[in-house]
Amino acid sequence: MSGGKGAVFRFVVLGLLLVCWFLAEAAAMGTEKYSEGVSVKKTKGTWTYEEAEFIRQEEKKQEFPASCTFWGEREEEYLESRKLERVETAFVLEVLGETRGLLPASAPLYGEDEESCLLSEDMAYKLFGSKDVMGEEILYRGRILTVRGILRGMEGTAAVQTVREGDSVLDTIAYEANTEVQSSENPVQAFLLRHAIQGKVLERKYFAACAKLLIFCLPLVIFLRMAGQITGIMRAQRGRRIQTAALWAVMILMTVLFFMLFWKSPGLTRDVVPTKWSDFTFWKHMTQQIQDNFKLLLQTKKTSLELLVLRPFFSCLIYCVLTWGLYAVRCRTQKKAGAGETAAGILFSWILLLVTICFAGENALLLAGQKSVWFGPCFWLIGEYAMERMQVSYKNKINSY
């Protein structure tokens, strides 16, 4: 492949790699946005309105009350626009309690406001021809409901407050423990025992942690490759104190920059770190818990709310696989890059990031505030250029002797 064609090919591979990496970052942020709290699905049947309300009121009497919202989903329910008399079918989340912990990226539904609802963007367009539907009214199961806002990240869905009359679909609890409490006891298990609830516990936080770890792997591999190249040069330059000291300084600088840019990516929380050094079974139990959570979510019937976590998580996984594949192609086809090509690659990465932010949806907007996506390509490309210059310099010195 000629020099010009080779440079174009390298830029194409670099562009695809960076776009996949940016989209993986955006998907990981989408997973994190809905990963707080814990879901407890009742083993059999549903709670009546009175049973669910009794548990909520009893929980408020605790010394450190936690957030506790009951919800369930109805399939293929009819919604009618009172203004335009349009009728559409939708999945309807019926909720008892506030929805801040349940739908953090959407407008809230308050427990005392039983005559309100939220609509997904596509349902708003189908019923009213616009997503600016605040204050509009719909008919649902004989009830007149006022639209309070838009459901983010959901399609074909509405959310409403449940009512005392009628059949109940409340089969799941969105539980979020009070973070001010410092206790070794599992708050979710204590909650279940306190109210004699039998259900399957699903902790969504592990999906966000796994997505962040997937994102973290590529910069880690790049850093280790650069560190390996420096180590090889240091071994070859034994006895040359000045050169060895300079290489140590470069290694320390790279390590500091790497941790400044990427170390927050794994998102390790307090509950994934052993409280005692002698707890040798901690990681085994945690790994088993993560496996159980994945199996439970993958094997059970998916609700619209659970798909909010699954969709971006699997998108992140796919984009990460594509990114690693493209990085392997780049490593195989990598040639000596000059300063001009390195600078062009950095500028190219920023242009691609801006394009991604413009066209990749609301999750991609969060990329604008991430220093890792702005300066990660700089760390990588400048590091590759520096390693190449070091190796050339070392080879020239060897040849001169």
Side-chain angles (χ1 to χ4, degrees):
M1 190 178 292
S2 63
K5 291 181 179 179
V8 171
F9 179 77
R10 291 196 297 274
F11 262 86
V12 170
V13 173
L14 175 65
L16 292 174
L17 189 160
L18 290 171
V19 169
C20 288
W21 185 33
F22 296 150
L23 291 175
E25 283 268 11
M29 292 176 189
T31 304
E32 183 181 10
K33 191 161 55 176
Y34 294 98
S35 64
E36 296 299 324
V38 178
S39 291
V40 181
K41 191 174 185 66
K42 193 171 184 180
T43 305
K44 293 182 180 180
T46 61
W47 287 281
T48 65
Y49 180 95
E50 290 75 14
E51 290 172 338
E53 184 62 27
F54 176 78
I55 293 174
R56 291 183 67 245
Q57 296 305 321
E58 287 296 310
E59 189 62 23
K60 289 180 180 179
K61 296 177 183 179
Q62 299 297 314
E63 182 179 0
F64 299 100
S67 172
C68 178
T69 303
F70 286 75
W71 63 275
E73 185 176 74
R74 295 184 187 272
E75 298 183 6
E76 301 296 322
E77 290 290 326
Y78 288 100
L79 304 179
E80 181 181 349
S81 164
R82 295 193 72 199
K83 181 178 181 180
L84 302 177
E85 296 184 349
R86 295 177 180 174
V87 179
E88 297 289 341
T89 58
F91 293 90
V92 179
L93 292 175
E94 289 201 357
V95 181
L96 176 59
E98 294 191 7
T99 62
R100 290 186 182 276
L102 189 66
L103 302 165
S106 302
L109 280 180
Y110 297 103
E112 62 274 11
D113 189 4
E114 296 184 354
E115 305 307 318
S116 62
C117 70
L118 303 175
L119 295 178
S120 60
E121 287 190 353
D122 64 321
M123 289 307 303
Y125 274 107
K126 289 177 180 178
L127 290 172
F128 299 100
S130 169
K131 66 177 181 180
D132 184 17
V133 292
M134 186 77 72
E136 299 287 356
E137 293 182 339
I138 65 168
L139 285 174
Y140 166 67
R141 296 175 68 90
R143 300 163 58 188
I144 300 176
L145 303 176
T146 303
V147 181
R148 302 300 185 195
I150 294 295
L151 279 172
R152 301 295 180 188
M154 306 178 78
E155 296 181 358
T157 308
V160 306
Q161 286 288 342
T162 192
V163 292
R164 188 181 300 271
E165 300 81 12
D167 56 326
S168 171
V169 293
L170 304 176
D171 61 357
T172 308
I173 304 172
Y175 180 82
E176 189 170 359
N178 191 326
T179 55
E180 298 177 2
V181 183
Q182 301 291 333
S183 174
S184 58
E185 185 180 24
N186 187 315
V188 180
Q189 296 300 329
F191 169 77
L192 297 179
L193 290 173
R194 189 160 56 243
H195 301 291
I197 296 174
Q198 292 184 345
K200 297 179 180 178
V201 179
L202 174 64
E203 299 192 50
R204 298 187 296 272
K205 62 187 177 184
Y206 294 120
F207 287 87
C210 289
K212 289 182 179 181
L213 284 171
L214 289 172
I215 293 295
F216 182 67
C217 284
L218 180 63
L220 179 61
V221 169
I222 293 172
F223 171 74
L224 291 177
R225 285 192 73 230
M226 292 180 184
Q229 290 174 344
I230 293 179
T231 303
I233 298 174
M234 288 171 64
R235 287 177 179 175
Q237 298 213 20
R238 285 179 184 173
R240 298 183 176 91
R241 295 182 178 179
I242 296 177
Q243 291 89 338
T244 302
L247 289 171
W248 271 111
V250 172
M251 177 76 84
I252 293 171
L253 177 62
M254 284 181 52
T255 304
V256 171
L257 290 174
F258 173 78
F259 277 92
M260 287 177 60
L261 289 174
F262 304 109
W263 179 242
K264 289 185 179 180
S265 295
L268 298 178
T269 55
R270 185 178 57 194
D271 57 340
V272 298
V273 178
T275 55
K276 297 180 181 179
W277 68 269
S278 57
D279 189 0
F280 300 110
T281 62
F282 177 85
W283 297 106
K284 180 180 178 181
H285 291 322
M286 191 189 74
T287 304
Q288 185 61 46
Q289 187 177 9
I290 293 174
Q291 290 177 351
D292 292 342
N293 271 271
F294 272 97
K295 287 180 181 178
L296 177 61
L297 190 56
L298 294 174
Q299 292 173 358
T300 57
K301 186 178 181 180
K302 311 301 181 295
T303 63
S304 301
L305 196 58
E306 288 162 347
L307 289 174
L308 274 178
V309 180
L310 278 178
R311 282 175 183 149
F313 174 76
F314 282 108
S315 295
C316 178
L317 179 61
I318 292 170
Y319 286 129
C320 282
V321 171
L322 291 174
T323 301
W324 298 331
L326 289 166
Y327 182 67
V329 173
R330 177 178 169 80
C331 290
R332 289 292 299 268
T333 59
Q334 186 175 353
K335 302 293 182 182
K336 296 178 181 179
E341 186 173 330
T342 300
I346 293 172
L347 180 61
F348 185 46
S349 71
W350 288 343
I351 294 173
L352 289 176
L353 178 57
L354 291 173
V355 172
T356 304
I357 292 172
C358 291
F359 293 100
E362 61 182 43
N363 288 336
L365 291 175
L366 300 173
L367 293 174
Q370 297 294 312
K371 60 183 179 182
S372 60
V373 298
W374 287 102
F375 298 105
C378 303
F379 172 83
W380 169 29
L381 296 174
I382 293 175
E384 282 187 346
Y385 174 72
M387 294 306 102
E388 181 64 33
R389 294 301 96 194
M390 287 182 189
Q391 290 178 343
V392 170
S393 176
Y394 173 68
K395 290 178 181 178
N396 290 337
K397 287 182 179 180
I398 294 296
N399 294 331
S400 64
Y401 289 135

